[in-house]
Amino acid sequence: MQRALLELVLVGVVGAVLGCWIVLYGLAYSAESLAHALFPGLVAAALLGLPLLLGAAGGVLAAAAGVALAGRIPGLGRDVAVAIVVTTLFGVGVLLALAPTSPPGLDGLLFGDLLGVSRGDLVAAGGLAALCLASLAALHRPLMVVGFDRGSAAGLGARPLLVDLGLLALIAAAIVVGVQGLGNLLVLASLIGPAASARLLARRVPSMMLAATAIAVACALGGLYVSYYADFAAGASVAGATVSLYLGLALLRPVLAGWR
């Protein structure tokens, strides 16, 4: 339980800060598609004994190549090409993870295994989380410029394409941080849920990030307690707590708007 909480704190802090940019940039669906697209790369890396980050990078490259090739088919729109490639790659990853010949434990990449997090997993997640936070700190000004004034960003010294690519790379890294504990299907709840809830409470980006971090940690604690006493799956309990809090705040939005 202690290691699970530490894992959730790492995921929560990174997800809260990064999730604010995902929400502000309107990239929630793109983040979900990215998580599903890199899943077969994660499974392949686990099967080959390679670092998960390397597998995630391979999965993203395979998805990009697949979308580019599918988009060249006459009469097939880009949205359709993305949907076909992402669902195909996710299906391939599921087949590999749940195949009878696959070693046990690979299904944890899909559904998560919070209570199975080891000290080595925490060290790896901590290092990757620190790298993500340092990168977000370095990219804070370009992200602000592009996010709020994309048309004038080049004149202010920011390159929108490079900023977008950097943000997507950080999303992929954050997914790798959280996939061990929450799994590919639930990790997006920690990336988007706290930030979406904080968006209802704060107007400024720094305040939104602080609120999202507090919400992520609170939902981690609440979800773990529910899991322990109600005998529910830990990852699903945390994701459920995150979504429930957002729904509660959304229902109270008229009151919160007056308070703000």
Side-chain angles (χ1 to χ4, degrees):
M1 291 290 285
Q2 292 173 348
R3 289 195 294 268
L5 179 59
L6 287 174
E7 173 78 6
L8 286 173
V9 169
L10 291 173
V11 176
V13 173
V14 174
V17 178
L18 181 59
C20 290
W21 294 117
I22 294 174
V23 171
L24 293 174
Y25 272 63
L27 292 176
Y29 182 72
S30 298
E32 182 182 9
S33 299
L34 182 61
H36 292 342
L38 59 80
F39 183 64
L42 295 176
V43 176
L47 286 172
L48 297 173
L50 300 174
L52 291 182
L53 187 59
L54 184 61
V60 170
L61 291 176
V67 170
L69 292 174
R72 297 175 65 88
I73 300 176
L76 190 66
R78 186 171 182 83
D79 289 343
V80 177
V82 171
I84 291 174
V85 171
V86 168
T87 52
T88 299
L89 288 174
F90 185 65
V92 170
V94 172
L95 287 175
L96 289 174
L98 302 182
T101 56
S102 296
L106 283 184
D107 57 338
L109 293 175
L110 187 62
F111 303 108
D113 186 13
L114 265 178
L115 301 182
V117 174
S118 65
R119 289 186 175 86
D121 294 329
L122 285 175
V123 171
L128 194 54
L131 180 61
C132 288
L133 291 175
S135 300
L136 284 169
L139 289 173
H140 183 79
R141 184 181 179 279
L143 285 168
M144 290 282 286
V145 171
V146 174
F148 292 96
D149 195 359
R150 181 175 288 266
S152 305
L156 296 172
R159 299 181 180 181
L161 178 59
L162 294 180
V163 171
D164 290 340
L165 291 176
L167 185 57
L168 289 175
L170 288 173
I171 293 173
I175 291 170
V176 175
V177 173
V179 74
Q180 173 66 32
L182 294 172
N184 187 268
L185 294 177
L186 298 177
V187 68
L188 265 296
S190 291
L191 283 179
I192 298 173
S197 298
R199 186 69 179 88
L200 302 175
L201 300 173
R203 291 182 176 180
R204 298 176 61 84
V205 173
S207 301
M208 182 179 172
M209 290 179 177
L210 288 175
T213 302
I215 289 171
V217 175
C219 289
L221 281 169
L224 282 179
Y225 271 103
V226 170
S227 170
Y228 183 81
Y229 287 106
D231 198 22
F232 292 156
S237 298
V238 173
T242 304
V243 174
S244 298
L245 179 61
Y246 172 78
L247 292 176
L249 291 175
L251 291 174
L252 294 173
R253 189 170 187 178
V255 178
L256 296 174
W259 176 71
R260 287 197 304 173

